[in-house]
Amino acid sequence: MSSQEKTLLRVILTEGDIRKVTLAKKPDSVDNLVLPTFPDGHNDDSLELVRKEIQDEMKMRTPSSSLLAQKMDLTFALRRKEIVESTPAISDVLERWPALFREPL
C-alpha cells in the first residue's frame, strides 16, 4: 500500500448514526498486532472460567446485562488473543462468545 492510500472503515455507533474513520496504515499481517495483556491476577485458565460463566448466563431466560458487560470487559484480552491467533470462523466465535453478538439493553 502506498503512503497516499487509505483504508475506509465504516463504524456504526447507533442506528442511523454512521461515521467514517480512515486508517492511516493497514497492518502488514496479524503478526504485527499487539495483544492486550490479561487483567491483573488473571491468566488463560481463570479467564476461561469467566468465559464459561458468560455462556451459562446467556442460557438464562433473562441474562443480566450489567453482569455480562462486566465479564465481557474482563475477558477482552482472551477474546482478542483467540481471534488473532486462531482466526476462528464467525460461527465458532458465536458459540464460544454468545454475548458478543447480543444487543446491549
Side-chain angles (χ1 to χ4, degrees):
M1 179 185 302
S2 75
S3 62
Q4 297 296 321
E5 292 181 55
K6 291 186 180 179
T7 304
L8 177 64
L9 172 67
R10 189 171 285 199
V11 179
I12 301 174
L13 301 173
T14 60
E15 189 173 330
D17 182 13
I18 299 175
R19 301 193 184 179
K20 295 179 182 176
V21 178
T22 55
L23 303 175
K25 183 181 176 193
K26 183 178 176 184
D28 297 330
S29 72
V30 294
D31 298 333
N32 295 337
L33 296 176
V34 177
L35 296 175
T37 58
F38 288 158
D40 290 338
H42 288 280
N43 59 26
D44 280 320
D45 296 331
S46 67
L47 292 176
E48 181 63 19
L49 290 174
V50 176
R51 184 195 67 77
K52 289 178 182 177
E53 291 171 6
I54 292 170
Q55 283 184 317
D56 292 342
E57 185 68 22
M58 286 298 293
K59 291 175 185 174
M60 298 184 117
R61 184 173 183 197
T62 54
S64 168
S65 294
S66 60
L67 181 66
L68 287 171
Q70 175 208 7
K71 290 182 185 234
M72 288 297 284
D73 288 345
L74 183 64
T75 57
F76 172 76
L78 179 62
R79 268 194 325 275
R80 175 69 182 245
K81 178 182 173 192
E82 286 181 5
I83 290 170
V84 169
E85 290 181 353
S86 64
T87 58
I90 296 294
S91 59
D92 295 336
V93 175
L94 177 59
E95 183 179 319
R96 285 187 55 80
W97 302 98
L100 186 62
F101 296 91
R102 182 174 187 264
E103 288 289 328
L105 300 176

